[in-house]
């Protein structure tokens, strides 16, 4: 019997270590004990995203972290993990559901598997301009759609911005819908985008963002579509020659927190996260604008040919069938009309 004691001791130590490590499931000793009186030091939340440090997602996250620390008096801090270090958008969202990741910033289109109604905001040429988008996303319609995250174990805090999406390719300049026909275009992994590029006669190829640069470099696909700032900061100009300023989709972004993390925080710190996320939206959108102005000046010198005036009305007319398709699929005819009629 005496010989068994060392093994019993080792087993007890192992269990103890596992319990201690479990308390750091969000990457710090505070995340699983948020709000407990015995908590020492700031609560540190992990925030992941897939873009690099030059992107608006990252700069916005840095500004958000600054605001959170200031508003909480240092009780709450945010640690940022860019470049897909913690996984792609889907992996990050699933980690938030499980409570193993605290926060994420992602393009809204990458989240439609969790919140299908987000697809509405990706209808081509839905928004007249960015001010129209802000009015919708920051108002009752946007808040209603953000609530859909609650059923998925995630709290949608606010809409940020990715920017208007434009088409790039390595084959030819694009001015009209006919110029798109036959091009193999990388698209985001959502059915709506596949639908409207098919309508235009392209060969849409869904692909995770982390695979895109290599696919363009190896010419597995001919082109892709993204905001100007993404094309610039992610160096898409190195593997694409032509960009057409189609502005076909407004790319919203969402900043989110795991509901498990959120529910562990005291009410005043929950309020800090919400207020900081909403206030940072204006800062991040202005950053996007300034960055895109800079990019448009520099992209020609980096080897890209820019088509400033594609026939947007022709593109808009060509993709109208997708409105009927998704109004029915999402039972959202009235909501689409509300968005279109928002002044």
């Amino acid at each position: 019997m005496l010989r068994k004691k060392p093994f019993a001791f080792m087993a007890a130590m192992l269990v103890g270590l596992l319990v201690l490590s479990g308390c750091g499931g969000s990457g710090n000793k505070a995340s699983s004990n948020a709000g407990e009186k015995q908590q020492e030091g700031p609560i540190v939340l992990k925030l992941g995203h897939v873009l690099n440090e030059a992107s608006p997602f990252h700069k916005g996250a840095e500004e958000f972290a600054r605001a959170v620390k200031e508003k909480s008096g240092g009780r709450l801090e945010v640690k940022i993990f860019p470049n897909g270090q913690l996984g792609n958008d889907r992996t990050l969202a699933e980690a938030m559901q499980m409570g193993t990741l605290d926060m994420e910033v992602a393009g809204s289109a990458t989240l439609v598997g969790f919140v299908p109604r987000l697809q509405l905001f990706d209808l081509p040429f839905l928004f007249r301009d960015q001010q129209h988008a802000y009015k919708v996303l920051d108002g009752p319609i946007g808040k209603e759609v953000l609530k859909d995250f609650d059923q998925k174990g995630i709290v949608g805090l606010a809409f940020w911005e990715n920017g208007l999406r434009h088409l790039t390719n390595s084959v030819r300049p694009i001015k009209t819908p006919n110029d798109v026909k036959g091009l193999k275009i990388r698209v985001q992994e959502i059915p709506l985008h596949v639908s409207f590029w098919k309508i235009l006669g392209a060969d849409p190829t869904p692909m995770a963002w982390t695979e895109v640069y290599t696919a363009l470099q190896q010419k597995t696909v001919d082109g892709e579509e993204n905001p100007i700032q993404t094309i610039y900061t992610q160096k898409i100009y190195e593997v694409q020659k032509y960009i057409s300023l189609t502005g076909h989709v407004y790319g919203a972004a969402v900043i989110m927190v795991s509901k498990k993390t959120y529910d562990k925080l005291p009410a005043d710190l929950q309020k800090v996260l919400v207020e900081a996320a909403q206030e940072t939206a204006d800062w991040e959108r202005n950053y996007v604008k300034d960055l895109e102005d800079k990019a448009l000046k520099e992209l020609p010198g980096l080897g890209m040919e820019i088509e400033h005036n594609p026939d947007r009305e022709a593109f808009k007319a060509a993709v109208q069938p997708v409105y009927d398709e998704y109004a029915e699929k999402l039972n959202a005819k009235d909501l689409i009309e509300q968005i279109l009629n928002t002044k």
Side-chain angles (χ1 to χ4, degrees):
M1 294 294 293
L2 289 174
R3 292 180 181 179
K4 294 183 180 180
K5 286 186 178 180
F7 296 101
F9 176 75
M10 290 175 66
M13 287 290 290
L14 180 59
V15 170
L17 286 170
L18 288 172
V19 169
L20 286 172
S21 65
C23 290
S26 294
N28 62 88
K29 64 182 179 179
S31 295
S32 294
N33 296 310
E36 292 185 4
K37 291 182 179 179
Q38 66 267 33
Q39 177 63 47
E40 296 180 1
I43 298 168
V44 181
L45 305 181
K46 282 184 178 179
L47 183 153
H49 67 82
V50 301
L51 300 182
N52 67 23
E53 291 89 341
S55 69
F57 283 8
H58 192 76
K59 298 301 184 182
E62 288 180 329
E63 176 64 16
F64 170 73
R66 184 203 63 75
V68 164
K69 187 172 183 178
E70 179 181 300
K71 286 175 173 291
S72 68
R75 293 164 56 208
L76 193 59
E77 294 183 2
V78 177
K79 186 175 182 181
I80 307 162
F81 295 83
N83 294 304
Q85 291 177 40
L86 304 181
N88 61 32
D89 286 317
R90 175 174 290 278
T91 302
L92 296 177
E94 290 171 347
M96 283 192 296
Q97 289 180 310
M98 293 185 290
T100 56
L101 176 68
D102 299 304
M103 300 193 70
E104 178 187 6
V105 179
S108 61
T110 67
L111 301 166
V112 299
F114 302 89
V115 177
R117 286 203 298 174
L118 283 172
Q119 291 180 86
L120 292 176
F121 302 140
D122 273 63
L123 283 167
F125 305 103
L126 175 70
F127 297 113
R128 296 182 296 276
D129 51 34
Q130 281 154 298
Q131 293 303 318
H132 180 199
Y134 304 157
K135 187 74 173 179
V136 171
L137 298 175
D138 297 343
I141 294 173
K143 288 180 171 60
E144 178 186 337
V145 174
L146 281 180
K147 287 179 182 177
D148 290 358
F149 279 102
D150 293 349
Q151 302 169 16
K152 302 297 181 179
I154 297 171
V155 178
L157 297 174
F159 282 104
W160 288 3
E161 180 168 282
N162 205 12
L164 287 168
R165 303 182 75 86
H166 307 284
L167 179 62
T168 75
N169 81 99
S170 58
V171 178
R172 56 179 172 262
I174 303 295
K175 189 172 180 67
T176 71
N178 283 336
D179 298 327
V180 175
K181 290 181 178 179
L183 292 180
K184 192 170 186 178
I185 305 296
R186 175 269 173 179
V187 299
Q188 296 179 95
E189 298 174 283
I190 65 169
L192 186 150
H193 280 228
V194 172
S195 292
F196 76 73
W197 285 109
K198 278 186 177 178
I199 289 170
L200 290 171
D203 178 10
T205 305
M207 186 183 298
W209 172 248
T210 49
E211 303 169 16
V212 174
Y213 187 93
T214 300
L216 294 169
Q217 187 177 45
Q218 296 176 349
K219 299 193 183 301
T220 306
V221 293
D222 299 314
E224 57 84 59
E225 45 86 51
N226 255 305
I228 294 168
Q229 55 84 10
T230 302
I231 294 161
Y232 179 70
T233 61
Q234 308 300 303
K235 300 186 177 181
I236 297 301
Y237 55 80
E238 294 179 342
V239 288
Q240 298 274 267
K241 182 173 178 59
Y242 306 102
I243 177 171
S244 183
L245 303 185
T246 48
H248 50 274
V249 166
Y250 172 78
V254 185
I255 179 167
M256 304 154 281
V257 60
S258 165
K259 194 170 188 307
K260 290 185 177 181
T261 297
Y262 186 81
D263 288 345
K264 290 171 186 172
L265 293 170
D268 64 323
L269 293 186
Q270 291 177 345
K271 184 178 179 183
V272 163
L273 286 183
V274 174
E275 289 182 350
Q278 292 175 348
E279 290 172 11
T280 304
D282 287 338
W283 187 97
E284 193 262 357
R285 289 164 178 169
N286 286 328
Y287 183 85
V288 170
K289 182 183 183 304
D290 292 342
L291 183 57
E292 293 198 337
D293 289 345
K294 180 175 187 284
L296 282 172
K297 291 177 182 177
E298 295 187 13
L299 284 174
L302 295 168
M304 292 202 90
E305 293 184 16
I306 302 176
E307 173 53 64
H308 287 273
N309 298 298
D311 192 343
R312 295 182 81 251
E313 289 303 315
F315 275 99
K316 185 176 181 179
V319 298
Q320 283 307 300
V322 83
Y323 277 74
D324 294 333
E325 179 184 352
Y326 278 85
E328 182 178 348
K329 278 186 177 180
L330 299 172
N331 191 24
K333 182 178 180 181
D334 289 344
L335 194 55
I336 291 171
E337 287 298 321
Q338 288 178 45
I339 293 171
L340 291 170
N341 292 329
T342 297
K343 303 299 181 185

